[in-house]
Amino acid sequence: ETGVTQSPTHLIKTRGQQVTLRCSSQSGHNTVSWYQQALGQGPQFIFQYYREEENGRGNFPPRFSGLQFPNYSSELNVNALELDDSALYLCASSFEGTGANVLTFGAGSRLTVL
Amino acid sequence: DQQVKQNSPSLSVQEGRISILNCDYTNSMFDYFLWYKKYPAEGPTFLISISSIKDKNEDGRFTVFLNKSAKHLSLHIVPSQPGDSAVYFCAASHQTGANNLFFGTGTRLTVIP
């Protein structure tokens, strides 16, 4: 059973640029969520995808967008990067319908915006 | 607006003793609570959870207690082991099955051999 894998592990961008982060869900999972963890903070929910559609969103602006593909892999896209976007971005997968909130997290992609 | 709070950034405990990690929340609509453990360079891993209809849940060395009237939960680890050294996050959600989890800022537990 493979876990959640994310790429890249680290990247550096400059303000105003765009970034795409990728995630492969755990085998058998059909729901993916993305979280942002700023330094010294807990993870904060960005959005969730189920059946390739966004079905839940936290307090993040529209420049944060995502995709979920038929094979349940996922992308997080952030446009017009700002310095405050510097954070660890965590992808988490789960199986919708289990009635549980148990998420399987990847190790994250650390984004630095200069 | 931090709806889930972990007021102790760090905790040190001797091996074999009890570790107690605390968490407070402000939103009375939360009905499901979880603890995650995070090692460096790894993602958080699920540890234990509790529904609001219960006040205690046990899993081996780990027990979570929920006091709804005080909006407080705690994680007890007995006995503590050096491998338990990690950052522990408390999380809460509005409904069982929802993936929108509200996390605390974490408590770094160090178990001293």
Side-chain angles (χ1 to χ4, degrees):
Chain A
E1 178 180 273
T2 59
V4 176
T5 58
Q6 294 186 241
S7 63
T9 54
H10 295 83
L11 72 167
I12 300 173
K13 293 284 187 178
T14 56
R15 194 170 50 182
Q17 284 189 313
Q18 178 266 345
V19 68
T20 298
L21 308 178
R22 295 180 173 83
C23 171
S24 292
S25 298
Q26 178 167 310
S27 177
H29 285 182
N30 58 9
T31 301
V32 65
S33 307
W34 284 89
Y35 283 78
Q36 179 195 67
Q37 185 179 8
L39 196 62
Q41 302 297 313
Q44 188 174 359
F45 177 73
I46 302 174
F47 45 53
Q48 171 183 300
Y49 277 78
Y50 172 63
R51 291 184 175 177
E52 303 174 46
E53 291 194 1
E54 183 181 304
N55 73 340
R57 189 176 187 95
N59 188 25
F60 281 82
R63 59 189 186 83
F64 285 78
S65 63
L67 288 171
Q68 184 187 30
F69 300 101
N71 64 355
Y72 304 125
S73 64
S74 174
E75 287 182 358
L76 165 66
N77 299 289
V78 186
N79 294 321
L81 285 168
E82 302 176 359
L83 299 180
D84 285 349
D85 296 333
S86 295
L88 180 68
Y89 288 86
L90 295 165
C91 172
S93 70
S94 62
F95 184 77
E96 181 74 18
T98 60
N101 306 67
V102 177
L103 305 179
T104 301
F105 282 90
S109 294
R110 183 165 297 283
L111 170 65
T112 302
V113 182
L114 301 177
Chain B
D1 180 26
Q2 191 75 22
Q3 299 188 52
V4 177
K5 299 177 183 178
Q6 295 176 256
N7 292 320
S8 297
S10 62
L11 173 68
S12 292
V13 173
Q14 287 289 132
E15 180 178 4
R17 305 295 290 270
I18 184 171
S19 295
I20 300 177
L21 295 92
N22 294 303
C23 177
D24 297 294
Y25 62 95
T26 57
N27 190 333
S28 58
M29 297 300 292
F30 287 147
D31 62 0
Y32 198 74
F33 304 89
L34 308 92
W35 286 92
Y36 279 81
K37 179 171 72 173
K38 186 179 187 302
Y39 292 118
E42 296 183 11
T45 56
F46 171 74
L47 191 57
I48 192 169
S49 63
I50 187 167
S51 165
S52 60
I53 62 173
K54 295 185 175 182
D55 55 17
K56 177 183 175 181
N57 188 28
E58 268 184 278
D59 184 2
R61 297 185 296 114
F62 303 91
T63 303
V64 56
F65 295 91
L66 175 62
N67 183 333
K68 284 185 63 179
S69 61
K71 295 191 179 67
H72 177 83
L73 66 156
S74 61
L75 174 68
H76 293 207
I77 306 174
V78 183
S80 300
Q81 300 174 354
D84 296 330
S85 296
V87 177
Y88 289 78
F89 290 99
C90 169
S93 74
H94 291 133
Q95 62 182 88
T96 304
N99 289 339
N100 182 359
L101 299 182
F102 293 81
F103 282 85
T105 53
T107 296
R108 181 178 300 279
L109 173 66
T110 302
V111 180
I112 304 165

